[in-house]
Amino acid sequence: MTDIIRTEALKKSYANGKPVLDGIDIRIGAGERIALIGSNGAGKSTLLKCLIGHTPFCSGEVATLGETFRASPNKTQLQRIRQRVGFVFQNHGLVRRQSVLTNVVHGKLGLSDGWGAWHQAIVRQEIREQAMEALAQVKLTAKANSRADELSGGQAQRVAIARALIRKPALMIADEPAASLDPTAGREVMEVFSDLVRMQGITLVFTTHDMDHAVNFADRVIALKGGRVCFDLPASEVRRNEVDGVFHA
Amino acid sequence: MSSMHDRLLPGRVRSVPAATFAILVALAALFIVSVGQVSPSPSQLVGGLPRMYGLLERMMPPSIETGFLTRVMWRTVETLQIAFVGTVFGVLLSLPIAWFASRTLTPFGPLRHVFKMLISLFRTVPDMVWALIFVASIGLGPVAGTMTILIDTIGFCGRFFAEAIEDSDKQPQEALFTSGASRFSVLTGAVIPDIMPSMINTSQFALEKAVRSSVVLGLVGAGGIGQELKVAFDLFQYKNASTIILVIFVLVLAMEAVTDRLRAKAQ
């Protein structure tokens, strides 16, 4: 299986010298769905940012989508990585006063065919159609004209997923995508998310505190503790006592 | 019992630090000296009142001569044109300048301070001074007035637009930056829609302010109804002056009413 992500001895420290990531070695293959778990401060979000070159690291090596870099990618590499990655945040990050369709169209910004993707009214018809297709995938076509601030939390997060999907990414990164939702909406979002990436063969890396989400929506669970990989197991092999060890001292 | 309460009871007045006290005393002294130098004496007030009454008497009734009213009407239209054109161009130019000056989104790094200083310069120099500068450089007439309003609007809107850009919602910006969007795309896609209500509000205040300013710019020769008012006073045509003052009063009130309604609608 081709590696979509590979890290070797990845280390990163805060300005005060405290290590956040302390020698991370992971390999993620194409089409895999990976859950990163760990308590607050374990380094999950920092690891995600290092993988896509959003934060520099101190030592080691990262290879994402064939772009290998130390410390941080150069400008061209960063641009190439960004063009092939979809990012979903804990807080959806939608523009509240814009329509759902415009928010999905925003996903094209930064891509070579994304001229005019500031607003659905001025972008090319082909991109408007792609946006509607992405909305259909998250079952929200009926809301295309609604303003983003009229949506429920779960719907907003599904629009954020559609915004990432319109980029046709090879890799999807999601930082606690269900953390700000109630359990039902959270599960719904994770179901939609996980099914879509599996059907489209997209590699998914998401962080979560919810073990049910990790076990049910990932193929593999990587646990971080104190900046190190605590375990890296197929989701079906994760046991309760191992999880307790991750979240408790 | 009561002596214990007395010990806990805070003083009626908080003690003032020595430096604050010294500043307060200096301000009080400055005020007293200034009152002696620039405020009217009782005799001036008493002597001025009859003269004021005499002036008002000469202003009544306001002139309603047809030729004069037609001229005033055209000058009023010109005043509104100066205010409208100056404000629209001012608002349009304010947006890029505010973007360049904003702390969070500027493409110019520390050089943003140059744009901040430019906005400060435009805002702090009074509009009458700008009008004098433009009358001297462009010549008498409404173009000098329009330029004055334009510069004044950039000073006013530039500051508020820059602050609105800095205070706008950061999460959509982060989401778009993460996908590789340029600063310009983030500005147009996420920031402007977010700050639009505040921009509309500020622009309406700018228009209101521009109408008030353009009324008086004529006093220094920058076109509009103010020019007519100056002529009326210079030629002791006080009845004409009172008509113009009434027109100005109605014009400013009408403009405030219109912008108030627009603001209420935009909420």
Side-chain angles (χ1 to χ4, degrees):
Chain A
M1 189 163 34
T2 327
D3 280 343
I4 290 286
I5 289 171
R6 177 177 52 80
T7 71
E8 273 172 26
L10 172 60
K11 287 190 180 185
K12 180 175 171 69
S13 307
Y14 289 124
N16 61 11
K18 196 183 165 208
V20 199
L21 301 174
D22 194 9
I24 303 283
D25 293 294
I26 54 170
R27 297 172 85 101
I28 297 170
E32 274 196 294
R33 294 173 305 159
I34 305 294
L36 275 179
I37 64 165
S39 52
N40 289 334
K44 306 184 296 293
S45 299
T46 308
L47 176 58
L48 288 188
K49 286 179 185 165
C50 287
L51 295 181
I52 54 168
H54 270 227
T55 187
F57 47 90
C58 307
S59 65
E61 191 176 87
V62 170
T64 300
L65 297 162
E67 304 292 337
T68 305
F69 54 93
R70 289 171 180 273
S72 58
N74 62 39
K75 224 175 164 182
T76 322
Q77 285 180 315
L78 185 61
Q79 194 62 21
R80 280 203 291 252
I81 292 172
R82 279 173 165 175
Q83 289 190 345
R84 297 176 63 202
V85 174
F87 210 108
V88 176
F89 295 85
Q90 178 182 341
N91 183 304
H92 46 77
L94 300 182
V95 183
R96 287 173 295 185
R97 294 178 52 81
Q98 292 287 38
S99 73
V100 164
L101 187 60
T102 290
N103 270 288
V104 179
V105 162
H106 280 169
K108 281 286 185 180
L109 288 172
L111 298 184
S112 53
D113 61 347
W115 194 92
W118 315 301
H119 198 279
Q120 61 87 17
I122 54 170
V123 80
R124 284 186 295 124
Q125 180 63 14
E126 185 192 334
I127 291 180
R128 296 177 85 242
E129 282 161 13
Q130 286 175 22
M132 282 308 284
E133 200 181 304
L135 276 176
Q137 288 172 344
V138 296
K139 301 178 181 70
L140 277 175
T141 43
K143 296 277 182 187
N145 267 330
S146 306
R147 257 173 60 153
D149 54 7
E150 292 167 0
L151 303 177
S152 68
Q155 287 172 330
Q157 197 60 295
R158 276 151 61 194
V159 174
I161 293 169
R163 182 178 60 189
L165 283 175
I166 196 178
R167 301 173 67 77
K168 304 205 183 311
L171 169 65
M172 190 80 100
I173 300 276
D175 194 4
E176 302 194 23
S180 57
L181 306 175
D182 64 62
T184 316
R187 198 175 171 81
E188 224 174 80
V189 163
M190 285 309 300
E191 267 168 10
V192 171
F193 202 8
S194 171
D195 287 352
L196 283 171
V197 294
R198 191 173 46 201
M199 282 188 305
Q200 299 182 22
I202 300 168
T203 306
L204 169 66
V205 183
F206 67 96
T207 62
T208 183
H209 285 120
D210 189 322
M211 272 319 294
D212 282 343
H213 290 176
V215 171
N216 291 318
F217 301 115
D219 305 314
R220 193 144 61 96
V221 179
I222 298 175
L224 294 184
K225 190 175 181 182
R228 291 165 183 253
V229 174
C230 181
F231 67 75
D232 180 349
L233 291 170
S236 55
E237 291 176 20
V238 176
R239 300 284 167 262
R240 182 99 232 154
N241 59 335
E242 283 162 333
V243 175
D244 285 347
V246 174
F247 288 102
H248 300 108
Chain B
M1 196 68 185
S2 72
S3 64
M4 191 185 80
H5 280 147
D6 285 347
R7 279 200 299 275
L8 296 172
L9 191 66
R12 286 179 190 275
V13 182
R14 282 189 187 181
S15 62
V16 179
T20 311
F21 184 72
I23 291 169
L24 288 173
V25 169
L27 281 173
L30 180 69
F31 178 71
I32 291 164
V33 170
S34 303
V35 164
Q37 289 176 348
V38 297
S39 63
S41 64
S43 62
Q44 277 175 312
L45 278 176
V46 171
L49 278 174
R51 281 199 292 276
M52 174 70 90
Y53 179 76
L55 179 64
L56 286 174
E57 216 173 22
R58 273 175 284 164
M59 285 177 131
M60 293 297 142
S63 168
I64 48 167
E65 192 247 314
T66 322
F68 170 68
L69 285 181
T70 312
R71 210 167 61 236
V72 166
M73 190 193 79
W74 285 118
R75 285 295 195 182
T76 308
V77 170
E78 188 180 77
T79 304
L80 286 172
Q81 285 175 319
I82 291 170
F84 190 56
V85 174
T87 306
V88 169
F89 279 124
V91 166
L92 291 177
L93 288 172
S94 296
L95 192 56
I97 294 176
W99 171 34
F100 299 156
S102 71
R103 193 180 62 250
T104 48
L105 219 58
T106 181
F108 294 109
L111 280 179
R112 76 183 179 88
H113 290 289
V114 173
F115 295 96
K116 276 200 91 164
M117 280 194 297
L118 190 70
I119 292 171
S120 297
L121 175 74
F122 288 173
R123 191 179 64 251
T124 49
V125 175
D127 49 5
M128 287 298 254
V129 176
W130 286 117
L132 285 170
I133 291 170
F134 285 117
V135 166
S137 52
I138 298 173
L140 290 167
V143 178
T146 306
M147 287 305 297
T148 303
I149 297 298
L150 189 151
I151 293 293
D152 204 40
T153 303
I154 294 175
F156 180 73
C157 290
R159 180 193 168 178
F160 287 109
F161 288 0
E163 283 175 3
I165 289 172
E166 287 168 5
D167 295 340
S168 60
D169 191 357
K170 298 290 174 295
Q171 283 161 346
Q173 295 176 42
E174 194 191 351
L176 299 193
F177 272 132
T178 306
S179 61
S182 64
R183 285 171 198 273
F184 179 73
S185 293
V186 172
L187 179 82
T188 48
V191 177
I192 291 178
D194 189 41
I195 65 171
M196 190 55 88
S198 141
M199 280 174 60
I200 291 173
N201 238 350
T202 305
S203 304
Q204 284 173 4
F205 276 122
L207 182 62
E208 216 175 288
K209 192 169 167 292
V211 171
R212 277 197 301 269
S213 294
S214 57
V215 158
V216 291
L217 292 181
L219 298 177
V220 292
I225 199 168
Q227 214 155 308
E228 210 60 48
L229 184 64
K230 186 176 186 306
V231 170
F233 271 106
D234 285 351
L235 301 178
F236 307 108
Q237 296 167 337
Y238 295 118
K239 289 183 172 43
N240 287 0
S242 61
T243 305
I244 295 167
I245 290 168
L246 280 174
V247 169
I248 290 172
F249 176 65
V250 172
L251 183 67
V252 174
L253 270 190
M255 183 49 66
E256 281 180 6
V258 169
T259 50
D260 279 350
R261 285 196 73 161
L262 287 174
R263 259 194 297 279
K265 260 191 163 178
Q267 293 304 312

